[in-house]
Amino acid sequence: MLPPLNDLMALLCIDLVLCAGLLRLLAWRHGVTLWAKWATAIFFVLMWCPVGAAHLPLVAYVRGISSDLSISLVVIACVGIYQRLCGVRLVSDRERNAMNLVFAAGALLLYPFALGWGDWDSYRLGWGSTGMWAVLFILSLMCWGRGLRLLPMLIAIGLLAWASGVLESTNLWDYLIDPWLAVGAIFQCFKMAGRQLLARFRTARGGAAPSLS
C-alpha cells in the first residue's frame, strides 16, 4: 500500500537530495564515472527498501531525522545531479553566489524571530501574507533584470508547489527554505567572503612596491 501523496513526495525529495550528495562525493576526485552513476542509481532504489518491524523504507527513517526538505533544496539537488550526469554547467558562480546570499539573508530573517528572539514572528508571513508575496515578486524582478535566472526559478517552483499542496506543510516558508539549506547557504557565504579577503590580501601584497634602501 502506497503512503499518502504528501508523504510520498517528501520521501522522494529526501532521496533525491541524498543521491545528489552521494554523486557529488563520488565525483569529487575522478569525476562522474560509470561506477559512480550505477552506485547512485542503486542507492536511490535501496532507500525505498522496507526494513524494521514497521516495514518502512529506509528513506522514511532519514525523514525522521531530517524532517521534510524544502522544494528549493530539492530543485538545487536535481540541478546538481543533471549537471554531473550530463557534463554541462547550468549554474554560474554569479548565480550561485546570489542564491546563497539571498537564502542566508532569508535564514537570518526567519529562524531567529521564529525561535522567539523578539516580539515579531516572521514564520507567520508564510501563512498567506501579501507583503511576503510582494517581496518575492520584487526580488524575482530584480534578479531577472540582472540576468539571474536561478533564484526566480526557485521562487516560482516553490510558489507553484505551495499552491498545489505538494508537501504536508501549508506554510510557504517550508517550501522556500529549510534548516539544511540555510546552514549550507550561510557556510557558502562565509567561504565566499574568505576567498575575497584572501584574494585582496594577495593583490595588496603583490602590488606593493619594493622599498629602496
Side-chain angles (χ1 to χ4, degrees), residues 41 82 122 163 184:
Y82 181 82
S122 55

Side-chain angles (χ1 to χ4, degrees), residues 114-130:
L115 293 174
W117 293 10
D119 298 330
W120 180 59
D121 185 5
S122 55
Y123 190 72
R124 293 180 181 177
L125 299 175
W127 298 114
S129 170
T130 54

Side-chain angles (χ1 to χ4, degrees), residues 12-211:
L12 178 60
C13 290
I14 294 173
D15 200 3
L16 288 172
V17 172
L18 291 176
C19 287
L22 176 63
L23 186 61
R24 180 175 182 175
L25 181 64
L26 295 177
W28 181 34
R29 290 188 176 182
H30 305 290
V32 181
T33 61
L34 182 61
W35 176 83
K37 295 178 181 179
W38 275 106
T40 305
I42 293 173
F43 178 82
F44 178 84
V45 175
L46 287 178
M47 291 302 294
W48 292 95
C49 294
V51 294
H55 297 285
L56 295 175
L58 282 170
V59 68
Y61 295 96
V62 178
R63 185 190 184 189
I65 300 174
S66 67
S67 188
D68 291 349
L69 303 178
S70 64
I71 297 298
S72 298
L73 180 58
V74 178
V75 174
I76 294 170
C78 291
V79 171
I81 292 175
Y82 181 82
Q83 288 185 140
R84 288 181 172 82
L85 291 180
C86 299
V88 297
R89 188 174 183 180
L90 300 177
V91 181
S92 64
D93 291 338
R94 182 168 171 264
E95 292 263 14
R96 188 181 297 108
N97 293 338
M99 177 193 70
N100 288 326
L101 285 172
V102 171
F103 279 119
L108 296 178
L109 172 66
L110 172 62
Y111 293 112
F113 293 103
L115 293 174
W117 293 10
D119 298 330
W120 180 59
D121 185 5
S122 55
Y123 190 72
R124 293 180 181 177
L125 299 175
W127 298 114
S129 170
T130 54
M132 183 175 180
W133 298 341
V135 170
L136 292 175
F137 180 71
I138 294 173
L139 178 61
S140 299
L141 288 181
M142 291 175 58
C143 291
W144 195 270
R146 293 180 176 270
L148 302 174
R149 303 292 184 263
L150 178 61
L151 197 58
M153 181 190 71
L154 293 177
I155 293 175
I157 295 177
L159 285 170
L160 181 61
W162 173 72
S164 304
V166 172
L167 300 180
E168 186 177 3
S169 174
T170 57
N171 192 293
L172 179 57
W173 279 113
D174 296 325
Y175 289 79
L176 297 177
I177 192 171
D178 59 72
W180 304 99
L181 179 57
V183 171
I186 294 174
F187 172 77
Q188 290 297 329
C189 287
F190 278 111
K191 186 177 178 181
M192 178 176 59
R195 287 179 176 177
Q196 291 179 351
L197 290 175
L198 183 60
R200 291 181 180 179
F201 177 74
R202 290 177 177 176
T203 302
R205 289 193 61 183
S211 59

